[in-house]
Amino acid sequence: MTRKARTSHPIPAAAPAPRPKRGQHWRQVLIFVVTVMVYSTAVTSPLLFDDQTSIVSNPSIRRLTPVSALLMPPRDTPVAGRPLVNLTFALNYAVGGLGTRGYHVVNILVHVLAALALFGLLRRAFRLPRLEPHFGGAADNLALAAALLWAVHPLNSEVVNYLTQRSESLMGVFFFLTLYSSLRALND
Protein backbone atom coordinates (compact mmCIF):
# COMPACT_ATOMS: atom_id res chain seq x y z
CA MET A 1 0.00 0.00 0.00
CA THR A 2 1.51 3.30 -1.02
CA ARG A 3 1.01 6.53 0.79
CA LYS A 4 0.26 9.66 -1.10
CA ALA A 5 2.55 12.50 -0.31
CA ARG A 6 0.85 15.20 1.66
CA THR A 7 0.90 18.61 0.18
CA SER A 8 0.91 21.39 2.64
CA HIS A 9 -0.43 24.76 1.86
CA PRO A 10 1.47 27.47 3.64
CA ILE A 11 -0.62 29.74 5.79
CA PRO A 12 -0.15 33.28 4.59
CA ALA A 13 1.45 35.38 7.27
CA ALA A 14 0.22 38.85 7.98
CA ALA A 15 2.51 41.65 7.15
CA PRO A 16 4.09 42.94 10.33
CA ALA A 17 2.57 46.12 11.61
CA PRO A 18 4.60 48.99 10.26
CA ARG A 19 6.67 50.83 12.78
CA PRO A 20 5.34 54.29 13.49
CA LYS A 21 7.27 57.00 11.70
CA ARG A 22 8.56 60.04 13.51
CA GLY A 23 5.70 62.10 14.80
CA GLN A 24 3.26 59.19 14.67
CA HIS A 25 3.04 58.64 18.43
CA TRP A 26 0.35 61.27 18.82
CA ARG A 27 -2.31 58.60 19.34
CA GLN A 28 -0.52 57.16 22.36
CA VAL A 29 0.05 60.66 23.74
CA LEU A 30 -3.63 61.46 23.20
CA ILE A 31 -4.67 58.33 25.11
CA PHE A 32 -2.36 59.33 27.96
CA VAL A 33 -3.48 62.97 28.09
CA VAL A 34 -7.23 62.30 27.81
CA THR A 35 -7.18 59.51 30.39
CA VAL A 36 -5.17 61.57 32.88
CA MET A 37 -7.45 64.59 32.35
CA VAL A 38 -10.63 62.55 32.82
CA TYR A 39 -9.43 60.93 36.05
CA SER A 40 -7.36 63.81 37.49
CA THR A 41 -10.09 64.74 39.96
CA ALA A 42 -9.94 61.24 41.45
CA VAL A 43 -6.65 61.94 43.21
CA THR A 44 -8.56 63.55 46.09
CA SER A 45 -10.95 60.62 46.56
CA PRO A 46 -10.97 59.03 50.02
CA LEU A 47 -10.43 55.39 50.92
CA LEU A 48 -13.47 53.28 50.06
CA PHE A 49 -14.78 49.91 51.22
CA ASP A 50 -11.99 47.29 51.05
CA ASP A 51 -9.31 49.97 50.85
CA GLN A 52 -9.35 49.98 54.65
CA THR A 53 -8.27 46.32 54.92
CA SER A 54 -6.05 46.39 51.81
CA ILE A 55 -4.07 49.44 52.84
CA VAL A 56 -4.76 50.94 56.27
CA SER A 57 -4.87 47.74 58.33
CA ASN A 58 -2.50 45.71 56.14
CA PRO A 59 0.71 45.21 58.15
CA SER A 60 2.58 43.60 55.24
CA ILE A 61 2.88 46.89 53.34
CA ARG A 62 4.52 48.82 56.17
CA ARG A 63 8.06 47.71 55.30
CA LEU A 64 9.75 46.84 52.03
CA THR A 65 11.79 44.10 53.67
CA PRO A 66 11.66 41.21 53.87
CA VAL A 67 10.30 40.85 50.35
CA SER A 68 8.78 37.51 51.27
CA ALA A 69 6.34 39.33 53.59
CA LEU A 70 5.27 41.59 50.73
CA LEU A 71 4.69 38.63 48.48
CA MET A 72 2.54 36.86 51.09
CA PRO A 73 -0.28 39.30 51.86
CA PRO A 74 -2.53 38.54 54.84
CA ARG A 75 -5.33 36.02 54.38
CA ASP A 76 -8.91 37.20 54.39
CA THR A 77 -8.01 40.51 52.78
CA PRO A 78 -8.70 41.71 49.24
CA VAL A 79 -4.98 41.42 48.43
CA ALA A 80 -4.67 37.80 49.58
CA GLY A 81 -3.13 35.82 46.75
CA ARG A 82 -2.19 39.02 44.90
CA PRO A 83 1.47 39.60 45.67
CA LEU A 84 2.09 42.14 42.91
CA VAL A 85 -0.79 44.32 44.07
CA ASN A 86 0.46 44.09 47.66
CA LEU A 87 3.96 45.03 46.47
CA THR A 88 2.63 48.12 44.66
CA PHE A 89 0.71 49.14 47.79
CA ALA A 90 3.90 48.73 49.82
CA LEU A 91 5.80 50.96 47.39
CA ASN A 92 3.01 53.54 47.60
CA TYR A 93 3.12 53.37 51.41
CA ALA A 94 6.92 53.78 51.40
CA VAL A 95 6.63 56.94 49.30
CA GLY A 96 3.55 58.60 50.78
CA GLY A 97 2.27 56.72 53.79
CA LEU A 98 -1.52 56.59 53.95
CA GLY A 99 -2.04 59.70 51.81
CA THR A 100 -4.41 58.62 49.05
CA ARG A 101 -3.08 60.93 46.33
CA GLY A 102 -0.11 58.69 45.42
CA TYR A 103 -2.26 55.56 45.35
CA HIS A 104 -4.69 57.23 42.95
CA VAL A 105 -1.87 58.49 40.72
CA VAL A 106 -0.52 54.93 40.42
CA ASN A 107 -4.02 53.63 39.66
CA ILE A 108 -4.38 56.24 36.90
CA LEU A 109 -1.00 55.27 35.43
CA VAL A 110 -1.89 51.56 35.51
CA HIS A 111 -5.17 52.38 33.78
CA VAL A 112 -3.28 54.37 31.12
CA LEU A 113 -0.96 51.40 30.58
CA ALA A 114 -3.98 49.15 30.10
CA ALA A 115 -5.47 51.57 27.55
CA LEU A 116 -2.16 51.74 25.66
CA ALA A 117 -1.88 47.95 25.65
CA LEU A 118 -5.45 47.73 24.34
CA PHE A 119 -4.58 50.24 21.62
CA GLY A 120 -1.60 48.13 20.52
CA LEU A 121 -3.64 44.93 20.63
CA LEU A 122 -6.48 46.35 18.54
CA ARG A 123 -4.10 47.98 16.09
CA ARG A 124 -2.49 44.60 15.42
CA ALA A 125 -5.82 42.78 15.35
CA PHE A 126 -7.20 45.13 12.69
CA ARG A 127 -4.13 44.32 10.60
CA LEU A 128 -4.66 40.55 10.66
CA PRO A 129 -4.95 39.01 7.18
CA ARG A 130 -8.71 38.51 7.45
CA LEU A 131 -9.36 42.02 8.73
CA GLU A 132 -6.75 43.97 6.76
CA PRO A 133 -8.91 44.35 3.63
CA HIS A 134 -11.75 45.78 5.70
CA PHE A 135 -9.98 47.84 8.35
CA GLY A 136 -6.30 48.06 7.37
CA GLY A 137 -6.28 51.70 6.33
CA ALA A 138 -8.21 52.76 9.41
CA ALA A 139 -6.58 50.38 11.89
CA ASP A 140 -4.77 53.08 13.86
CA ASN A 141 -7.79 55.36 14.14
CA LEU A 142 -10.19 52.52 14.99
CA ALA A 143 -7.80 51.26 17.67
CA LEU A 144 -7.50 54.81 19.02
CA ALA A 145 -11.26 55.29 19.18
CA ALA A 146 -11.84 51.96 20.91
CA ALA A 147 -9.00 52.44 23.40
CA LEU A 148 -10.14 55.96 24.26
CA LEU A 149 -13.73 54.85 24.69
CA TRP A 150 -12.61 52.01 26.93
CA ALA A 151 -10.26 54.26 28.94
CA VAL A 152 -12.82 56.94 29.75
CA HIS A 153 -15.94 54.81 30.05
CA PRO A 154 -17.69 55.46 33.38
CA LEU A 155 -17.71 51.75 34.24
CA ASN A 156 -13.92 51.88 34.41
CA SER A 157 -13.88 54.77 36.88
CA GLU A 158 -13.84 52.37 39.82
CA VAL A 159 -10.33 51.13 38.95
CA VAL A 160 -9.10 54.65 39.66
CA ASN A 161 -11.41 55.76 42.47
CA TYR A 162 -11.46 52.51 44.43
CA LEU A 163 -7.82 51.76 45.30
CA THR A 164 -8.24 48.03 45.86
CA GLN A 165 -9.41 47.70 42.27
CA ARG A 166 -5.77 48.07 41.26
CA SER A 167 -5.77 44.27 41.16
CA GLU A 168 -8.32 44.31 38.32
CA SER A 169 -6.48 47.08 36.52
CA LEU A 170 -3.16 45.23 36.70
CA MET A 171 -4.91 42.08 35.51
CA GLY A 172 -6.23 44.06 32.54
CA VAL A 173 -2.74 45.31 31.66
CA PHE A 174 -1.27 41.81 31.73
CA PHE A 175 -4.24 40.32 29.88
CA PHE A 176 -3.98 42.86 27.06
CA LEU A 177 -0.19 42.41 26.93
CA THR A 178 -0.60 38.63 26.72
CA LEU A 179 -3.03 38.94 23.81
CA TYR A 180 -0.80 41.52 22.14
CA SER A 181 2.24 39.25 22.52
CA SER A 182 0.30 36.32 21.09
CA LEU A 183 -0.75 38.32 18.03
CA ARG A 184 2.78 39.59 17.58
CA ALA A 185 4.24 36.08 17.83
CA LEU A 186 1.65 34.79 15.39
CA ASN A 187 2.39 37.41 12.77
CA ASP A 188 6.08 38.18 13.07
Side-chain angles (χ1 to χ4, degrees):
M1 185 171 189
T2 60
R3 294 180 100 177
K4 289 186 178 180
R6 280 192 193 184
T7 58
S8 63
H9 301 286
I11 298 171
R19 296 203 182 273
K21 296 176 186 144
R22 289 188 126 200
Q24 292 296 314
H25 293 291
W26 66 269
R27 289 174 185 87
Q28 293 92 330
V29 172
L30 184 64
I31 290 169
F32 176 83
V33 169
V34 169
T35 306
V36 168
M37 285 178 53
V38 165
Y39 293 111
S40 63
T41 59
V43 296
T44 59
S45 298
L47 296 168
L48 302 168
F49 309 116
D50 291 338
D51 294 344
Q52 192 71 29
T53 53
S54 295
I55 298 166
V56 177
S57 60
N58 182 353
S60 68
I61 68 169
R62 299 292 185 259
R63 295 179 50 193
L64 295 177
T65 57
V67 177
S68 60
L70 292 172
L71 301 178
M72 298 282 293
R75 290 179 182 233
D76 301 325
T77 65
V79 291
R82 297 176 175 135
L84 183 59
V85 176
N86 204 56
L87 175 64
T88 64
F89 284 154
L91 292 171
N92 267 129
Y93 185 82
V95 171
L98 293 175
T100 60
R101 184 175 300 268
Y103 293 91
H104 287 293
V105 167
V106 171
N107 278 15
I108 291 170
L109 293 176
V110 170
H111 190 59
V112 167
L113 287 175
L116 291 171
L118 178 61
F119 170 74
L121 168 66
L122 293 174
R123 185 172 175 267
R124 280 204 173 262
F126 288 133
R127 293 181 187 279
L128 287 172
R130 292 185 123 182
L131 300 177
E132 178 82 32
H134 305 290
F135 303 112
D140 291 351
N141 292 332
L142 284 171
L144 171 66
L148 273 176
L149 181 62
W150 180 85
V152 301
H153 196 280
L155 288 175
N156 282 331
S157 65
E158 73 179 31
V159 300
V160 173
N161 293 320
Y162 182 24
L163 298 175
T164 302
Q165 293 299 314
R166 184 180 296 179
S167 57
E168 277 71 19
S169 198
L170 283 169
M171 184 281 307
V173 169
F174 291 121
F175 181 71
F176 291 149
L177 288 175
T178 299
L179 293 175
Y180 174 84
S181 299
S182 298
L183 273 180
R184 188 167 176 155
L186 180 70
N187 294 310
D188 280 351

